[in-house]
Amino acid sequence: MATTVATAGDHVAGAEHHELGFIRTYIFSTDHKMIAKQFLVASLVFLLLGGLLAGVVRWQLGFPGQPIPLIGSLFSDTTAPGGIILPEFYNSLVTMHATFMIFFAIMPLMLGVWGNYLIPLQIGAPDMAFPRLNTFSFWISIPAGLIMLAGFFVEGGHAGAGWTSYAPLSADPAFSGVYMGQILWLVSLTIVGFSSLSGAVNYITTVINMRAPGMTWFRIPLPTWALFVTSWLVLLAIPILTGGLIMLLLDQTIGTGFFAPATDGEPLLWQHIFWYFGHPEVYILILPGMGLASEVLANRSRKPVFGYHSMVVAIISIAFLGWVVWGHHMFQSGMNPLLGTSFMISTIIIAVPSAIKVFNWLGTLWRGNIHLDVPMLHALAFVSMFIIGGLSGIFMASAPVDIPIHDTYFIVAHIHYVLFGGSLFSIFAGITYWFPKMFGRMFGSKLGKVHFWITFVSYNLVFFPMHTMGLKGHIRRIYDPNQYTFLESMQPLNTLITVAAFVLISAQFIFAFNFFWSMFRGNKAVSNPWNSNTLEWALAPTPPPHGNFVGTPRVYRGPYEYSSPESIDDFLPQHLPPDRVQRPPVPRDPGFLPTGD
Amino acid sequence: MSSHTPALQGNLMVHDSTYEPGIQIYNMKLGMWLFLLSEVMFFTSLLGTYVILRFAHPDHFADPGAVLNVPLTAFNTFFLICSSVTMVKAFAAIQKGDQKGLKLWLLATILIGACFVGIQAIEYGALVHEGFVPMAAKYHALGRTGVEGGPIVGGPLYGSTFYIMTGFHGLHVSIGVICLTFVLIRAMQGHYTLSDHRGVELIGLYWHFVDLVWIILFTIVYLI
Amino acid sequence: MQNWSWLLDESASTVGPHIDRLYYVILVVTGIVFFATEITLLWFIFRYRHREGRKAAYIQGSTKAEIVWTTIPAIIVLSIALASRGLWAEIKDPALVPANAMTVMLTAKQFEWNLTYPGPDDELGTGDDFTVRNRLDVPIDRPTRLEMYSEDVIHSFYIPDFRLKQDVVPGMELMMWFQPTRTGEFPIGCAELCGIGHTRMRGTLTVHTASEYQTWMNEHIQAQP
């Protein structure tokens, strides 16, 4: 993981000279910035893997029963003999696509990358509260990822009960045909849970205790706020999953009876435990992205975030409400219908803080001075796609309307509009925005725009049609929709989606290429290319050295003082003492006030 | 954190406890509280499962005394509570700078903790012998007063839930004993002083938590 | 381009139109919000794009705006929830199943649906019951109630044209009821991943006229050993 701009040798003036070897600098680093980059590389690899798995899924749906072209012969006889995907392999693909994306791509991207990189820098701290715990957090996730990969190569194949792993299908090899794969899945997730948990402990402690003087709670930039709140969700939700995973593991291995109906175990108990974790989990996947988007939107509009306090309250409300809506995943499960009504009401209420955020994002753009750079394109895409994902949720929130659309492609559409349209675009916004700070070079803009547009268009072609397919009854997780006569007419649409998906996946290679090319050959970045107010841009050098800042930063104002009348510039850094702010010239006619419009 | 700071820019904060803003709880202690909060959620998932399954299938469960050795475990509970007292005494000792007291009381805590695990292991052995096992298919608990070939007391859910709750608690106690041993070794190396004995406070917090979980577990599983 | 349309085909059950109506209400509401927000977004991007000499307005927010766009969405979504309550109860509450519903037992297993009819004595669990695989035959003139069991894993009994679906869980007795509104054949599918054969767990629901149903029933009773 070489960075061309010297970091190891770069020390803050006046600091003790402290030579760390290659291993302590690049492998077992305790520096939050290096760990963030390690998470970045690892999660982008898993993101790509998750995408390729989706590509194979889409191949089967687009060209059912056809041998996979080019690489078909690479598959074993137990997965795709002659390149033709088997139903059991299809179930594993669907399961693993989601598993890798959620646990090994999006979560580490949001938390491992952004939590690690941004939190200390944005609050003015030299590093995390527990640097060595941070190293552990990254390195424990690697064996977890390898264990998850290993599942593809064991007898019986990989887990194929969906990422939701409903019992008793997942608990008994007699039902699924899978034994070792499911065990590896459970073990891997248990281990990666410790990675997330250590991160959460680190981030919460750091934000509470290590803010620079003057960095009050309501001067913290929104990415850090979102990551802070998200860390609480991780802290409290992951252990619930861990408990459930262990119970399922024991059911599978030594034969306990938690979820086994044969001995009065309760399959619905698994669902309750899983979704009690699972719903906070989806907010874990989106909240940090909302913070990232807010930051980019404000900065590239040269305008304060509209309603910063409301945005914070909305983030906290979503986090709180997220605990009492889990039953909406279980409306059709056989759960007591009365519970359905209460979950319907709590679920519909959670739409409100999300709506508030959308309106505030629009308010941020209103009367702004909008620069359509690559990060801004992604942030804008985030807003527009999240609107769709959020609105589609309202259909499902109404329990009766959920009856026909549950477990159909309508749900798949919703999931991908919030996770790809939402989370992933915000992650792209973050990567392209903070790239110069991380690597000292600008992220290639031309290729960046090419990647954005191809991604945006093909992505919508893939997922938008899924709404109506679901409405017409296209069930999810089915290997061969043509088994159903009434779905045969959707085959052309499935094929179109597959082709668009291949374009979408291919476009990501443009991103990967641009990412590495820019790292070594991109234009050298100035210290604060976006003229941002926040400490990581305005105060810390680019890239920041070990320890981040020279001396202790002191904060005088909030992070979104863009286009302030107090300053001649259209930005006003948080750390600038009032007497060093360059004021605009006094107007000759006191009645004249320059307006932005 | 403290071992890390000398390498950092000297004019930055040295000790996290002097950082402001922040709450007046030093980083490691805050971190420990957060970790314990996550542990609460973990045990909640296990205990919650027990409660739900018990309400759903009361026939699987029995009067605690029918299967479990309540008197022995009651004594064990008292024993564990004593170890919390010795832990408090250890902490109080180092707060006064009493190195000898610290080591003695730490040792007492370790020994009691180890005995707790030992007694529980013995109870497990007896229970398994009586047919009270976690495997659903092999469950054939005869109860404390049952005879060979006699009727089965309770059902498989009893075994599954009992062992997962008490087993994970026992695991946490064992890890606690190991950590306490580390702390004792460091105490013997003179690592803790009147002014800095954070490690003792941290393991103390963990130990009291483990004790508290047991009191709740004991009440729910052995008394009700 | 039928499959691109957000309009639904006509349903075939009594609750279908109610669910569809609720769907259309939500579609209209979300549709209006969708167009309003997306067009506003596009307009803002265009109108406030950077041009030489342009300055942004220094606006922190507006409490009034926050109140407005909190209360109005809250009222709208809560109305949707309240409007949904009655229909939900009508479909799912066992106490509200019509009294004249006939009962058929559904047993789901990997990978088929087994429907058991009570036979002439109108009672399930007696000797004259008969079981049919992967097809459900019902009359149009009375409601049918399904007593649902699973032999192995969780399945989900799904009749798209009726807008109905119910998970079938091993160890639980669950129920679903419906009243058809037209005769014909309607697909049945499994909507919960249940293993390797999940994709082929299909069936057919045939709605007969009253007399056709009697004929069908007699054929099956006579075929019994």
Side-chain angles (χ1 to χ4, degrees), chain B residues 174-224:
Chain B
S174 307
I175 292 174
V177 167
I178 294 171
C179 290
L180 278 164
T181 309
F182 271 120
V183 172
L184 176 59
I185 292 173
R186 294 186 99 173
M188 295 191 323
Q189 292 167 340
H191 189 88
Y192 304 111
T193 63
L194 190 149
S195 48
D196 188 357
H197 44 268
R198 286 176 292 171
V200 181
E201 186 173 19
L202 295 174
I203 192 61
L205 279 172
Y206 177 81
W207 193 252
H208 295 314
F209 168 76
V210 156
D211 191 13
L212 182 61
V213 170
W214 179 252
I215 292 171
I216 297 171
L217 248 181
F218 177 72
T219 311
I220 294 180
V221 176
Y222 285 82
L223 296 183
I224 301 180

Side-chain angles (χ1 to χ4, degrees), chain A residues 470-516:
Chain A
L471 287 171
K472 310 272 185 246
H474 197 309
I475 302 169
R476 66 184 283 206
R477 294 168 167 171
I478 49 174
Y479 164 75
D480 182 11
N482 294 306
Q483 294 279 323
Y484 293 98
T485 323
F486 76 101
L487 293 181
E488 279 173 354
S489 69
M490 292 198 214
Q491 184 57 60
L493 198 46
N494 259 325
T495 307
L496 171 70
I497 290 175
T498 295
V499 172
F502 287 159
V503 173
L504 177 63
I505 295 170
S506 307
Q508 306 322 302
F509 286 97
I510 300 175
F511 182 83
F513 171 79
N514 199 9
F515 182 83
F516 287 106

Side-chain angles (χ1 to χ4, degrees), chain A residues 7 11 26 37 144 187 197 209 212 262 283 306 340 350 386 421-422 430 493 509 529 576:
Chain A
T7 40
H11 287 286
Y26 294 109
K37 291 174 196 167
V187 169
L197 210 55
N209 264 359
Y283 293 117
F306 193 96
I350 208 168
F386 179 75
L493 198 46
F509 286 97
L576 219 52

Side-chain angles (χ1 to χ4, degrees), chain B residues 18 25 34 46 70 96 98 105-106 125 134 139 142 151 153 170 174 177 179 185 199 201 206 214 223:
Chain B
T18 61
I25 298 178
L34 293 169
L46 303 182
V70 180
K96 293 188 309 249
D98 176 5
W105 288 115
L106 275 177
Y139 184 89
L142 301 166
V153 184
S174 307
V177 167
C179 290
I185 292 173
E201 186 173 19
Y206 177 81
W214 179 252
L223 296 183

Side-chain angles (χ1 to χ4, degrees), chain B:
Chain B
M1 185 77 209
S2 51
S3 63
H4 193 67
T5 39
L8 296 174
Q9 34 306 312
N11 48 0
L12 241 172
M13 51 106 227
V14 176
H15 275 300
D16 41 38
S17 57
T18 61
Y19 231 32
E20 214 252 309
I23 52 179
Q24 295 313 310
I25 298 178
Y26 56 91
N27 283 359
M28 299 248 237
K29 189 161 158 184
L30 178 56
M32 175 56 79
W33 274 110
L34 293 169
F35 169 66
L36 293 178
L37 204 54
S38 77
E39 292 273 60
V40 168
M41 298 308 283
F42 175 69
F43 278 104
T44 301
S45 76
L46 303 182
L47 267 73
T49 294
Y50 170 78
V51 170
I52 289 170
L53 289 176
R54 186 151 179 196
F55 270 105
H57 300 282
D59 52 312
H60 274 254
F61 298 82
D63 223 31
V67 176
L68 307 171
N69 191 339
V70 180
L72 177 65
T73 316
F75 166 73
N76 220 7
T77 306
F78 168 73
F79 216 22
L80 196 63
I81 295 174
C82 287
S83 76
S84 263
V85 174
T86 55
M87 185 68 232
V88 168
K89 285 223 170 291
F91 184 64
I94 192 59
Q95 276 182 316
K96 293 188 309 249
D98 176 5
Q99 295 284 349
K100 187 148 167 257
L102 169 68
K103 287 182 271 200
L104 240 45
W105 288 115
L106 275 177
L107 184 62
T109 312
I110 291 169
L111 290 173
I112 300 178
C115 281
F116 175 88
V117 178
I119 292 174
Q120 193 158 48
I122 291 173
E123 209 214 337
Y124 273 22
L127 287 169
V128 168
H129 185 74
E130 287 160 22
F132 184 69
V133 294
M135 302 78 153
K138 300 211 184 89
Y139 184 89
H140 61 285
L142 301 166
R144 301 197 64 210
T145 51
V147 288
E148 196 65 44
I152 295 187
V153 184
L157 293 178
Y158 197 7
S160 300
T161 50
F162 173 83
Y163 283 103
I164 203 177
M165 288 187 294
T166 56
F168 269 97
H169 176 262
L171 178 67
H172 280 77
V173 176
S174 307
I175 292 174
V177 167
I178 294 171
C179 290
L180 278 164
T181 309
F182 271 120
V183 172
L184 176 59
I185 292 173
R186 294 186 99 173
M188 295 191 323
Q189 292 167 340
H191 189 88
Y192 304 111
T193 63
L194 190 149
S195 48
D196 188 357
H197 44 268
R198 286 176 292 171
V200 181
E201 186 173 19
L202 295 174
I203 192 61
L205 279 172
Y206 177 81
W207 193 252
H208 295 314
F209 168 76
V210 156
D211 191 13
L212 182 61
V213 170
W214 179 252
I215 292 171
I216 297 171
L217 248 181
F218 177 72
T219 311
I220 294 180
V221 176
Y222 285 82
L223 296 183
I224 301 180

